[in-house]
Amino acid sequence: MSEQDRNQPPHGTPDTGEIQIPLADLIRIRRQKIETLAGQGINPYPYRYERTHQIKDLLAQFDSLAESGTTVRLAGRIMLKRKMGKAAFADIRDASERIQIYVKIDNVGQQAFDLFDLLDIGDIIGCEGTLFITRTGERTLKVQTFELLSKSLHPLPDKHAGLTDVEIRYRRRYADLIVNPEVRELFARRTRIIQIVRDFLNSHGFLEVETPILQPLYGGASARPFKTHHNTLDIPMYMRIADELYLKRLIVGGYDKVWELCKDFRNEGMDRKHNPEFTMIELYWAYADYHDMAGFYEDLIRHTVHKLHGSYKVKFGDHEIDFEPKFRWLTMIDSVKEATGIDFTDLTLELAKVEAKKLHIELDGLFNRGQVIEAVWEAKVEPKLIQPTFIADYPVEISPLAKKNRKDPRFVERFELFIAGQEMGNAFSELNDPVDQLDRFLQSGKALAAGDEEAHPLDDDFITALTYGMPPTAGLGFGIDRLVMLLTGQESIRDVIFFPQMKETKDGSVPVSKILAQIVEEEKK
RNA sequence: GGGGGUGUAGCUCAGUGGUAGAGCACCUGCCUUUUAAGCAGGGAGUCGAAGGUUCGAUCCCUUCCACCCUCACCA
């Protein structure tokens, strides 16, 4: 941060007491309308409104309701207003749908009609009336009475162009949601996806549980944590980075199948695919191995796609993903052999490096055979994994949490699922030997002491749990945000998280709260 | 962190070395089935921030900030 930057006040604006920006004038005008209303004894923020229908239901039953002349009551936000002398139309939108209302001076009377004139786009109103169809064929509510339910002070974005500035869309998601119905639909689909997965897990005997988010010790993944402090206990505490260690404790405790929808926090970089706070699902299944888990996960994904889309095909970017055929299962070694013609199984580190170099792989910072194989795999295989593909049996050096492969101890029993070039899940035959686990903690502890901030700290209690005995167990974790991105065609994680983390802005703009406070001061004079 | 791009009215965007424009929104008037309603008139801007060059900067230069793309890093 530069010297001049530091010298800027937090919000940049000199406190002159005078706010002369156009937005302030727009808000002033609306405040004056409120004063006019108050003069007539009208509360601009009343307490409730009795609705008879949501707009969607109104439209569904439109013909019979119109024919019978039934009086209906609806409520929503004014999205458009078209006034024409002694009559006016407005578009009202509630959570479900949009409908047009017709306010005519003959129907509501002079006083109410003048009142309608004081309403702005953005205001929330309730109205009562009957249904009819206009000359141009639009289904419409003929208003008999209406009521202001909440006054909007801030103008809405352009009625036609909407809100496209992605930064404002993320920072003021409410504005995005108001004017972009497709965004509301997208987030509803996120909820739907989680619901489908939840139903699937519950119906297969997995118990949904809750474990600590605020932890005295973090673990279960290689990541830097958020650190905080508990005042009463006077101890450091951490936001969880993964659920793994607590869920395994529950397997020790005797549950067969557990899962959790986990909010995890990682104190790392932010980009199109990473938000500091994100959502995963982790599940643990006793007496099963990673083959069992792969079959189950494949069923879960296929079921979710079909339930959501009614088909097994999903478009993502330029690709169409087909979830119907059995997912491919390839060992990492075989996938590399397929892509490059080279079999790394029995190559020494030196020979592996020679082969990797021929493929123009960057080898700086790679110290063991597993890392070299992974580097080749990442460069030559991963980006090509468009259709759902399990990659299995990772080198032991790069997989410290998984059991060694029963056929070849140089590899582990682990798979990751790849779809559209993205990782969509990570699973192991879980390590349950407390001695082995302790050893890996100790190794990791050395790395931590040596400055590797992502290394795992020793969790004494978790080792204690393992000494009681944990059954053979398969575990799986997958990112919900990534899954939602895939199934909704979004390419940025910020588009599937309501309130993504943003940097603090220092653009010198005046906060609306300050404008409002100033206007209220002016009104007192 | 490197490279590229963007930042002008509440919103969507033009534009220029001589202190800024359009559409929507807003205000006024007309208009009783309109629908991106229409017609007429009007108001509104620290041109992301700070420095510099210049008689003069929104424009040129430097630095900074935020966002987007991309590479790297990290998972």
Side-chain angles (χ1 to χ4, degrees), chain A residues 72-365:
Chain A
V72 298
R73 289 161 69 85
L74 61 85
R77 190 186 294 273
I78 301 175
M79 301 305 293
L80 287 173
K81 228 183 138 189
R82 300 177 286 278
K83 201 193 164 213
M84 42 217 309
K86 296 187 172 58
F89 291 90
D91 286 9
I92 305 295
R93 212 199 51 209
D94 69 10
S96 69
E97 253 295 355
R98 179 213 79 99
I99 195 171
Q100 171 173 271
I101 65 167
Y102 178 53
V103 180
K104 189 164 65 157
I105 193 164
D106 301 345
N107 291 335
V108 300
Q110 179 73 51
Q111 199 179 357
F113 195 75
D114 290 345
L115 221 59
F116 192 77
D117 215 23
L118 293 175
L119 298 182
D120 288 291
I121 290 173
D123 287 356
I124 293 165
I125 64 170
C127 20
E128 177 181 295
T130 53
L131 300 172
F132 77 109
I133 293 179
T134 63
R135 200 177 286 165
T136 50
E138 173 144 5
R139 294 178 292 182
T140 304
L141 177 81
K142 187 181 291 176
V143 174
Q144 273 129 23
T145 65
F146 67 89
E147 194 179 320
L148 175 63
L149 300 180
S150 184
K151 186 68 188 168
S152 166
L153 295 177
H154 198 295
L156 251 41
D158 187 281
K159 66 184 180 187
H160 184 237
L163 184 63
T164 61
D165 183 321
V166 292
E167 186 173 348
I168 300 178
R169 287 186 46 229
Y170 297 149
R171 290 186 189 278
R172 299 190 181 181
R173 182 67 85 183
Y174 39 88
D176 186 28
L177 290 165
I178 289 170
V179 298
N180 294 322
E182 69 279 8
V183 175
R184 285 190 304 152
E185 178 53 33
L186 175 70
F187 280 98
R189 281 166 78 198
R190 179 186 169 114
T191 299
R192 174 96 179 113
I193 289 165
I194 292 171
Q195 189 62 50
I196 292 168
V197 173
R198 169 175 277 132
D199 289 346
F200 189 87
L201 290 171
N202 290 343
S203 72
H204 284 77
F206 283 85
L207 185 70
E208 183 171 7
V209 297
E210 293 178 274
T211 62
I213 293 173
L214 189 62
Q215 307 178 343
L217 198 64
Y218 60 97
S222 300
R224 275 143 63 192
F226 285 94
K227 192 174 179 180
T228 182
H229 184 263
H230 191 290
N231 288 343
T232 301
L233 296 176
D234 194 25
I235 53 167
M237 297 202 78
Y238 304 90
M239 308 295 285
R240 82 171 157 212
I241 58 172
D243 282 33
E244 176 139 353
L245 302 184
Y246 279 99
L247 291 176
K248 284 182 188 170
R249 282 170 168 93
L250 296 181
I251 296 291
V252 170
Y255 294 106
D256 271 356
K257 296 174 170 180
V258 293
W259 74 281
E260 182 167 9
L261 183 71
C262 352
K263 275 297 182 87
D264 292 337
F265 307 83
R266 296 188 183 174
N267 208 340
E268 291 170 350
M270 291 157 53
D271 60 33
R272 208 155 45 98
K273 290 182 181 170
H274 298 84
N275 195 62
E277 172 177 351
F278 63 103
T279 308
M280 299 232 303
I281 281 179
E282 287 193 31
L283 51 140
Y284 291 83
W285 179 6
Y287 310 110
D289 67 10
Y290 76 139
H291 290 296
D292 298 313
M293 187 61 92
F296 181 76
Y297 189 38
E298 179 170 345
D299 288 346
L300 184 155
I301 292 281
R302 186 176 292 120
H303 170 81
T304 303
V305 169
H306 192 264
K307 193 106 179 167
L308 187 73
H309 290 292
S311 110
Y312 292 107
K313 293 184 168 66
V314 175
K315 284 209 169 69
F316 189 80
D318 299 330
H319 304 291
E320 185 180 72
I321 316 292
D322 187 353
F323 290 87
E324 190 160 23
K326 179 137 185 69
F327 297 180
R328 231 185 142 198
W329 175 279
L330 264 180
T331 65
M332 181 176 273
I333 288 288
D334 284 347
S335 73
V336 170
K337 186 160 52 173
E338 191 178 282
T340 66
I342 302 163
D343 188 340
F344 282 83
T345 313
D346 295 315
L347 296 185
T348 61
L349 172 60
E350 286 67 32
L351 285 173
K353 278 190 168 179
V354 169
E355 292 297 337
K357 205 152 200 172
K358 283 186 199 162
L359 297 165
H360 309 292
I361 307 296
E362 179 57 57
L363 294 172
D364 286 354

